[in-house]
Amino acid sequence: MKLVIQGKNIEVTEAIREYVEQKIDKAVSHFQTLTTEVDVHLSVARNPRIASSQSAEVTVYANGSVIRAEEKSENLYASIDLVADKIARKLRKFKERKSDRTAAKTSIAVVEQPPVPVPNGNRVVELPTQVVRNKYFAMPALSVDEALERLELIDHDFYVFRNADTGEINVVYERNHGGYGVIQPHDVKKH
């Protein structure tokens, strides 16, 4: 397993490096066969109006999946402890789901619904004037259920994926009032 530790606004000292290695090794020790790489990003955000916030973010690459967790606190070592516990829980959940899936294959029938018409078809989409960052990642075809599982693993509000049934790019997201939603492309007819 490859472990990469990086710091932002903080020098990663030997003591910090050893602490991170100890905590992360313990967190992923039962999942060594699944894990190929672990990236740890430590950062300190300093703002004169508020107290400093020290965060630890861990990204685990496991069998083509990405599992991510982030924790912030006033103390870097506390943030490392919290994120190590969180990533261990997520890895355990990931492994359980994986073994459940191989143990018993089940299927759920989903009734297809026609796409909702676009409310304002003549609206012009405005893009930002400057691209701040480009991200590239592998996008294997997934079912909606698999995309929801990956959404839970990465700790984000949304997950972009290629739908295995349609081949189209879709987005699953957490709804503000609970539950999940799926955004699907819809062809707009030109008049």
Side-chain angles (χ1 to χ4, degrees), residues 114-125 184-189 191:
V116 177
V118 179
N120 188 357
N122 61 358
R123 186 174 71 190
V124 177
V125 176
Q184 300 171 322
H186 175 62
D187 291 331
V188 179
K189 295 178 184 176
H191 297 287

Side-chain angles (χ1 to χ4, degrees), residues 66-71 86 90 150-158 174:
V66 177
I67 298 119
R68 185 185 161 281
E70 181 178 9
E71 287 292 338
K86 191 173 191 179
K90 286 187 171 204
R150 292 195 179 188
L151 171 65
E152 291 175 359
L153 293 173
I154 62 170
D155 228 12
H156 284 299
D157 297 336
F158 67 94
E174 290 186 50

Side-chain angles (χ1 to χ4, degrees), residues 53-189:
S53 175
Q54 302 189 18
S55 69
E57 176 185 324
V58 176
T59 306
V60 176
Y61 299 93
N63 282 359
S65 295
V66 177
I67 298 119
R68 185 185 161 281
E70 181 178 9
E71 287 292 338
K72 295 179 183 180
S73 72
E74 294 296 315
N75 180 302
L76 183 62
Y77 289 95
S79 296
I80 294 167
D81 289 344
L82 292 168
V83 79
D85 291 343
K86 191 173 191 179
I87 206 75
R89 283 192 308 273
K90 286 187 171 204
L91 281 167
R92 194 168 27 259
K93 193 174 188 180
F94 173 72
K95 190 173 180 180
E96 288 170 3
R97 282 187 177 164
K98 193 171 179 170
S99 64
D100 288 349
R101 200 174 302 130
T102 57
K105 295 270 184 179
T106 60
S107 63
I108 300 171
V110 178
V111 177
E112 284 291 321
Q113 295 179 346
V116 177
V118 179
N120 188 357
N122 61 358
R123 186 174 71 190
V124 177
V125 176
E126 292 183 32
L127 298 175
T129 57
Q130 181 181 12
V131 175
V132 178
R133 181 177 181 187
N134 287 332
K135 277 190 152 183
Y136 301 94
F137 60 96
M139 192 178 287
L142 302 172
S143 69
V144 174
D145 288 339
E146 291 169 326
L148 285 171
E149 288 175 9
R150 292 195 179 188
L151 171 65
E152 291 175 359
L153 293 173
I154 62 170
D155 228 12
H156 284 299
D157 297 336
F158 67 94
Y159 185 78
V160 179
F161 70 103
R162 181 176 311 280
N163 191 313
D165 295 332
T166 64
E168 297 173 326
I169 303 300
N170 289 182
V171 178
V172 291
Y173 64 96
E174 290 186 50
R175 298 185 42 160
N176 290 338
H177 301 293
Y180 297 96
V182 178
I183 299 174
Q184 300 171 322
H186 175 62
D187 291 331
V188 179
K189 295 178 184 176

